Amino acid sequence: MSEALFPNAELSEEGEFAGWSYWSGDAFEAHSGPFFMRRDPDNGEYVCAFRAEDRHMNGAGFMHGGCLLTFADFALFAFAMEELGGEMGVTMNLSGDFLGAVQNGSLVEARGEVTRGGGKTLFVRGLATADGEPALSFTGIVRKISQ
Amino acid sequence: MSEALFPNAELSEEGEFAGWSYWSGDAFEAHSGPFFMRRDPDNGEYVCAFRAEDRHMNGAGFMHGGCLLTFADFALFAFAMEELGGEMGVTMNLSGDFLGAVQNGSLVEARGEVTRGGGKTLFVRGLATADGEPALSFTGIVRKISQ
Amino acid sequence: MSEALFPNAELSEEGEFAGWSYWSGDAFEAHSGPFFMRRDPDNGEYVCAFRAEDRHMNGAGFMHGGCLLTFADFALFAFAMEELGGEMGVTMNLSGDFLGAVQNGSLVEARGEVTRGGGKTLFVRGLATADGEPALSFTGIVRKISQ
Amino acid sequence: MSEALFPNAELSEEGEFAGWSYWSGDAFEAHSGPFFMRRDPDNGEYVCAFRAEDRHMNGAGFMHGGCLLTFADFALFAFAMEELGGEMGVTMNLSGDFLGAVQNGSLVEARGEVTRGGGKTLFVRGLATADGEPALSFTGIVRKISQ
């Protein structure tokens, strides 16, 4: 079960993602990513992104499926942030269709939406691209954990 | 798309997984895991395993969903190894149900099966546990890439 | 959302499935099926079954994917029956991998298990066969609705 | 495995869906539906639709999950119609998140897109609503069958 505490995001201050937010308190995510998010200045949508590096690749020289799914799990919580309203959530299901190989060096971005919110169970879907080409179509179910 | 070249596995020579195989040529997997596999001496089934450490945890102190899915992607190829017969494969779909939080220090194991093989498309399912408790139920579709 | 009230099952009194239970109060299921279930006399497992007929076929002469998924949704509740303990449940997610074409006239059977129960959310998986050949691998998430 | 032959669609000539296309040669679909599709006159998108009736309901008085998934399987092929280009296809995976109960009498509509085409494997996703409210989020993988 994947859990994330939202208020703890930090702001990236340098490099390609200066001005984007990320979570530094999540060991696996910091180690795999970090992954970044911001609101698209044009339309207010949440956008998630990272740059593909050697360490994200598999033995065949493409991005590991687990890396894309880790990014997707991050993105679920970014897209659901307002619905979560500061509460914690856990991923109940994450399903991914691998649309195309992601090359080293490419810019991976994800956009998505809450398809059903309003209660304790949030349904989310998203689409990740690599340099604009289809990479991963994903859906997730997140359950709010009240404290 | 997650690709793996099977013949390159190495044998772990020390520690808890001495005698188990792993792939060292897969950057993301080596970094996230490594994850280990062997045949169960009792029944010949493939078993995959790793030990949960700090670096696999999320901000809430449980294992990150992306870590479990990366392990599941590894396990798909372990379970499909004979069907792949040395050919490469790519993951087309990986879907996971998160059954319970995985605690730091626990032993994560996965067992599974090819539900349909015999062609270029392999269907696989598996179940991961943490110290014997349900952790992840997963299904995957792997497509052979002939070279 | 797929809902079912368990205590209302009836017993089939004739034909191939004499002695098996089915629900007559579910219009879509009665119309698509009916689908039958019983406990395997050998091991106590729940088994679900029906016989493929013309009306279950698609335009290409094989069983329609929607028919198999309707049967799978039925089977989720059969496998979860004890965990539900007479309460209603709704399907939150149902995912199916189509393993092989189902021919007219074949006997379709499903077996499965609750991979995680004990709370309000039940995780289930199953495998359907047609005359013993792989037909559908499925997973589902069912949520109990307390009344 | 769900198969459909595209060129055989017919035009509905009366009732609410006059001018929409449907397939009459698919026994299960004709029986469950029929389901209708057309191109949205405003933007050229494929839209699929049907009207919820008594016979689509489950024992609790809501639409059966299997009915929604049968409609989704139909919609996959509608959304993929141009990519299929008259060839047959089979569904390899269909996954659905049930977003909300569908009431008797409501208008069920689905819109979607091919997230990755261009080859023999087509990845599709869609969203179904009932009287405009979220009903089902679905993804599917369809494989072209050359003849």
Side-chain angles (χ1 to χ4, degrees):
Chain A
M1 218 169 284
S2 160
E3 307 199 26
L5 205 59
F6 285 103
N8 296 341
E10 290 180 41
L11 217 59
S12 177
E13 294 188 350
E14 54 180 10
E16 183 174 10
F17 298 101
W20 295 60
S21 298
Y22 68 100
W23 289 297
S24 60
D26 186 308
F28 189 74
E29 214 157 276
H31 186 68
S32 304
F35 304 124
F36 300 94
M37 67 174 166
R38 68 165 179 182
R39 303 191 79 144
D40 186 318
D42 293 334
N43 55 20
E45 282 182 354
Y46 285 104
V47 189
C48 298
F50 72 111
R51 176 69 60 179
E53 299 177 15
D54 287 345
R55 63 198 172 91
H56 301 127
M57 301 296 116
N58 64 19
F62 302 110
M63 184 171 286
H64 195 289
C67 181
L68 273 170
L69 291 171
T70 302
F71 175 60
D73 195 19
F74 163 87
L76 290 184
F77 286 83
F79 301 151
M81 187 171 294
E82 283 170 42
E83 283 282 346
L84 283 163
E87 285 189 87
M88 265 181 58
V90 294
T91 307
M92 294 175 66
N93 172 269
L94 177 55
S95 179
D97 285 344
F98 294 88
L99 307 178
V102 176
Q103 308 294 332
N104 198 351
S106 57
L107 176 65
V108 183
E109 288 181 295
R111 289 167 188 267
E113 62 194 307
V114 174
T115 53
R116 170 69 191 265
K120 296 186 78 70
T121 304
L122 310 176
F123 296 89
V124 183
R125 70 173 187 173
L127 205 49
T129 56
D131 287 344
E133 294 298 312
L136 185 80
S137 169
F138 57 97
T139 60
I141 307 176
V142 171
R143 185 138 181 107
K144 279 191 201 175
I145 304 295
S146 299
Q147 290 180 301
Chain B
M1 219 169 283
S2 159
E3 308 199 26
L5 205 60
F6 286 102
N8 296 341
E10 289 180 42
L11 217 59
S12 177
E13 294 187 350
E14 54 180 11
E16 184 175 9
F17 298 101
W20 295 60
S21 298
Y22 69 101
W23 288 297
S24 60
D26 185 310
F28 188 75
E29 214 157 277
H31 186 70
S32 305
F35 304 123
F36 300 93
M37 67 175 165
R38 68 166 180 181
R39 304 190 78 144
D40 187 317
D42 293 334
N43 56 20
E45 283 183 353
Y46 285 104
V47 189
C48 298
F50 73 111
R51 177 68 61 178
E53 299 177 15
D54 288 345
R55 63 198 172 91
H56 301 127
M57 301 296 116
N58 64 19
F62 302 110
M63 184 171 287
H64 195 290
C67 180
L68 273 170
L69 291 171
T70 301
F71 175 60
D73 195 19
F74 162 88
L76 289 184
F77 285 83
F79 302 150
M81 187 171 293
E82 282 170 42
E83 283 282 345
L84 283 163
E87 285 189 88
M88 265 182 56
V90 294
T91 307
M92 294 175 66
N93 173 269
L94 176 53
S95 178
D97 285 344
F98 294 89
L99 307 179
V102 176
Q103 308 294 332
N104 199 350
S106 58
L107 174 66
V108 183
E109 288 180 295
R111 289 167 188 267
E113 62 193 309
V114 174
T115 53
R116 170 69 191 267
K120 296 187 78 67
T121 303
L122 310 176
F123 296 89
V124 182
R125 70 173 187 173
L127 205 50
T129 56
D131 287 346
E133 295 298 311
L136 186 80
S137 170
F138 58 97
T139 60
I141 306 176
V142 171
R143 185 139 181 106
K144 279 190 201 176
I145 304 296
S146 299
Q147 290 181 302
Chain C
M1 218 169 283
S2 159
E3 307 199 27
L5 205 60
F6 286 102
N8 297 342
E10 290 180 43
L11 217 59
S12 176
E13 294 188 350
E14 54 181 11
E16 182 175 11
F17 299 102
W20 295 60
S21 298
Y22 68 101
W23 290 297
S24 60
D26 185 310
F28 188 75
E29 214 156 275
H31 186 69
S32 306
F35 305 124
F36 301 93
M37 68 175 167
R38 68 166 180 182
R39 304 191 77 146
D40 186 317
D42 293 335
N43 56 20
E45 282 183 354
Y46 285 105
V47 189
C48 298
F50 73 111
R51 177 69 61 181
E53 300 176 14
D54 287 346
R55 63 197 172 92
H56 302 126
M57 301 296 116
N58 64 19
F62 302 110
M63 183 171 287
H64 195 289
C67 180
L68 273 170
L69 291 171
T70 302
F71 176 59
D73 195 19
F74 163 87
L76 289 185
F77 285 83
F79 302 151
M81 186 171 293
E82 282 171 41
E83 283 282 344
L84 283 163
E87 286 189 87
M88 265 182 57
V90 293
T91 307
M92 296 175 64
N93 172 270
L94 177 54
S95 177
D97 287 343
F98 294 89
L99 307 179
V102 176
Q103 308 294 333
N104 198 350
S106 58
L107 174 65
V108 183
E109 288 181 295
R111 289 168 188 267
E113 62 194 307
V114 174
T115 54
R116 171 68 192 268
K120 296 186 78 68
T121 304
L122 310 176
F123 296 89
V124 183
R125 69 173 187 173
L127 206 50
T129 56
D131 286 346
E133 295 298 311
L136 185 80
S137 169
F138 57 96
T139 59
I141 307 177
V142 171
R143 187 142 180 103
K144 279 190 201 176
I145 304 295
S146 299
Q147 291 179 302
Chain D
M1 217 169 285
S2 160
E3 308 199 26
L5 204 60
F6 286 102
N8 296 342
E10 290 179 43
L11 217 58
S12 177
E13 294 188 351
E14 54 181 11
E16 181 175 13
F17 298 101
W20 294 61
S21 299
Y22 68 101
W23 288 297
S24 60
D26 186 309
F28 188 75
E29 214 156 275
H31 185 71
S32 306
F35 304 125
F36 300 93
M37 68 174 166
R38 68 165 180 183
R39 303 191 78 145
D40 186 318
D42 293 334
N43 56 19
E45 283 182 355
Y46 285 104
V47 189
C48 298
F50 72 111
R51 177 70 60 181
E53 300 177 15
D54 287 346
R55 63 197 172 93
H56 301 127
M57 301 296 116
N58 64 19
F62 302 110
M63 183 170 287
H64 195 289
C67 180
L68 273 170
L69 291 171
T70 301
F71 176 59
D73 196 19
F74 163 87
L76 289 185
F77 285 83
F79 302 150
M81 187 172 292
E82 283 170 43
E83 283 283 344
L84 283 163
E87 286 189 87
M88 266 182 55
V90 293
T91 308
M92 295 174 64
N93 173 270
L94 177 54
S95 177
D97 286 344
F98 294 89
L99 307 179
V102 176
Q103 308 294 332
N104 198 350
S106 58
L107 174 66
V108 183
E109 288 180 296
R111 290 167 188 266
E113 63 193 307
V114 174
T115 53
R116 170 69 192 267
K120 295 186 80 68
T121 304
L122 310 176
F123 296 89
V124 183
R125 69 173 188 172
L127 205 50
T129 56
D131 287 345
E133 294 299 310
L136 186 80
S137 169
F138 58 97
T139 59
I141 306 177
V142 171
R143 186 138 180 107
K144 279 190 201 176
I145 303 297
S146 299
Q147 291 180 303

